[in-house]
Structure formats: C-alpha cells, structure tokens
Amino acid sequence: VQLQASGGGWVQAGDSLRLSCIISGRTFGNYIMSWFRQAPGKERQFVAGMGWASGNTHYVDSLKGRFTMSRDSAKKTVYLQMNSLKPEDTAVYYCTVGRARTWDAESEYTYWGQGTLVTVSS
C-alpha cells in the first residue's frame, strides 16, 4: 500500500489549494482516511478524516468551514480543499489510512504518505 500526496505549494494568505492523495494497493472498505499536518517546530496534528465506506467526515474544530475533505472512490483518491488560507496553515500535510477508532489518534493509523508542503505567506 502506498499513499501519494500532492498539491502543496506556495500561496498567499486568502488563497485556496486542493491537496490530493492517491492510494495504490488494496482498498479500505472500513478504514478511516485522514489528513494530518505538521507545522515547523510543532507536533503533527489531525486536520480532517473520512470513513472510506460511509463517507462521513470529521474536522478539527478550528478548521471547520475552511477545509473540506472529499473522495473519488473510483480513483482511490481523497482530497483536502483548503480555502481562505492563513500563514498559520503553513505545514507539511500528510494523508494516512488506518482502522482508527479515534480520529486524531496518530498511532492508530497504519499507512502514511510522504507529505506535501503548504506555505502560506502573509
């Protein structure tokens, strides 16, 4: 199983970006797909998650309304649409999949992508 994240880049505050994560290998009927991010000098934190079978989503409270997670099951791809970006959104964004019982429990995710860097300038 491999996860390939892409779509990061350098943008200005207020801009939007859409990250993609392509999953190769097995499918994950009852797994959780999530995005985490790690800002410089900080611990990795949960951003958003989705039940692969149900499509139900969950977001960290501070990002609700600006970030939206979606998927294309046929393409085995998940997306993270990020709007009204702020300098504090600067981070490496990781996609991950696992049988997580708690959305933000990093240790419960099994497979991780390599990360894609998002830099937001003021």
Side-chain angles (χ1 to χ4, degrees):
V1 175
Q2 289 188 327
L3 283 69
Q4 181 71 38
S6 63
W10 182 91
V11 296
Q12 293 187 323
D15 287 350
S16 298
L17 274 178
R18 189 178 78 159
L19 306 183
S20 301
C21 180
I22 301 173
I23 304 106
S24 61
R26 60 170 292 184
T27 56
F28 300 93
N30 59 345
Y31 277 47
I32 302 295
M33 299 289 306
S34 290
W35 290 94
F36 282 71
R37 70 182 183 182
Q38 187 167 21
K42 296 186 177 180
E43 295 185 350
R44 191 153 54 183
Q45 68 168 157
F46 172 81
V47 172
M50 173 182 285
W52 187 254
S54 67
N56 293 333
T57 54
H58 179 76
Y59 300 90
V60 66
D61 286 345
S62 60
L63 297 176
K64 287 181 180 178
R66 290 199 300 122
F67 287 20
T68 303
M69 186 173 179
S70 61
R71 69 156 187 254
D72 184 329
S73 299
K75 295 182 178 179
K76 296 173 68 176
T77 301
V78 293
Y79 305 97
L80 184 67
Q81 177 67 42
M82 307 184 294
N83 297 328
S84 303
L85 284 163
K86 303 176 181 181
E88 51 263 43
D89 295 319
T90 295
V92 177
Y93 286 73
Y94 298 90
C95 55
T96 181
V97 62
R99 290 183 179 269
R101 295 184 179 182
T102 306
W103 292 104
D104 60 352
E106 188 175 337
S107 62
E108 295 182 5
Y109 290 89
T110 305
Y111 303 101
W112 291 81
Q114 85 289 357
T116 184
L117 176 62
V118 173
T119 304
V120 185
S121 66
S122 58

